């Protein structure tokens, strides 16, 4: 058992050192994903957030500066997992990945119905958390296609459990 733990620790040390050499570089860029009214309505139903700015296009056009309905920014944030899976290479010897939370989340710009968005991940830090866990900290920017100002900027923490 001790030999097995030492082998895992040696593997983790090597992996962390490799990833530390990638700090400050882009780890992944996802494909563009269209946010349509069906997705927005489904999220509104699930979260019971049926404010007109999300689900009533006529009112949104008349009563808001957006010119259409907008997506819930918690919907956009929740797509972080999709963007991560679509763009980050699997971690070698990973048993499972766990969402460990966010730091410094900012909802910068609304996402309008039919906008396309994507996630851009830049490795900020990597550290050993225990004998089988590595904590990754990525700067995540969720971009809106054709718009300079992003929807969301944050730090996202992911814990990798190594076999």
């Amino acid at each position: 058992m001790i030999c097995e733990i030492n082998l895992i620790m040696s593997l983790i040390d090597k992996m962390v050192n490799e990833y530390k050499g990638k700090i400050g570089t882009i780890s992944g860029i996802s494909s563009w994903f269209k946010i349509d009214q069906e997705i927005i309505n489904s999220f509104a139903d699930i979260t019971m957030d049926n404010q007109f700015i999300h689900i009533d296009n006529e009112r949104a056009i008349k009563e808001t500066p957006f010119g259409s309905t907008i997506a819930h920014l918690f919907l956009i944030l929740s797509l972080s997992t999709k963007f991560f899976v679509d763009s980050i290479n699997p971690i070698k010897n990973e048993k499972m990945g766990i969402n460990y939370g966010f730091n410094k989340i900012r909802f910068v710009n609304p996402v309008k119905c039919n906008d396309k968005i994507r996630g851009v991940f830049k490795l900020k830090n990597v550290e050993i958390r225990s004998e089988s866990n590595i904590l990754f900290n990525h700067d995540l920017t969720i971009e809106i296609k054709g718009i300079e100002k992003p929807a969301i900027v944050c730090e996202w923490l992911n814990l990798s459990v190594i076999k």
Side-chain angles (χ1 to χ4, degrees), residues 16-126:
V16 167
N17 285 333
E18 285 177 26
Y19 280 107
K20 282 190 178 202
K22 298 176 183 179
I23 289 174
T25 65
I26 292 179
S27 304
I29 300 174
S30 72
S31 299
W32 292 106
F33 182 77
K34 184 178 178 180
I35 302 297
D36 62 23
Q37 194 61 53
E38 183 178 348
I39 292 168
I40 295 169
N41 289 348
S42 295
F43 192 82
D45 289 343
I46 289 169
T47 60
M48 295 175 262
D49 181 354
N50 293 300
Q51 188 177 175
F52 80 93
I53 64 174
H54 304 301
I55 63 170
D56 188 335
N57 194 49
E58 287 182 26
R59 276 189 72 190
I61 290 170
K62 289 179 191 172
E63 299 178 34
T64 74
F66 308 122
S68 73
T69 56
I70 59 171
H72 309 72
L73 283 171
F74 282 124
L75 162 61
I76 304 307
L77 184 64
S78 71
L79 291 168
S80 300
T81 300
K82 175 192 176 7
F83 298 145
F84 189 85
V85 170
D86 288 352
S87 65
I88 303 290
N89 291 326
I91 306 296
K92 190 187 303 183
N93 297 310
E94 183 180 62
K95 180 178 179 180
M96 66 180 151
I98 299 170
N99 178 354
Y100 202 70
F102 291 89
N103 293 330
K104 303 178 186 175
I105 299 171
R106 296 294 178 264
F107 297 145
V108 181
N109 201 10
V111 174
K112 296 177 184 179
C113 182
N114 295 318
D115 277 348
K116 291 182 179 178
I117 60 172
R118 71 177 179 185
V120 178
F121 298 86
K122 184 166 41 167
L123 186 60
K124 183 170 185 161
N125 194 25
V126 59

Side-chain angles (χ1 to χ4, degrees), residues 97-103 127 129 133-137 155-160:
I98 299 170
N99 178 354
Y100 202 70
F102 291 89
N103 293 330
E127 63 184 71
R129 294 293 292 181
N133 296 335
I134 301 173
L135 183 64
F136 291 89
N137 181 343
E155 291 179 20
W156 191 19
L157 306 173
N158 302 98
L159 191 68
S160 288

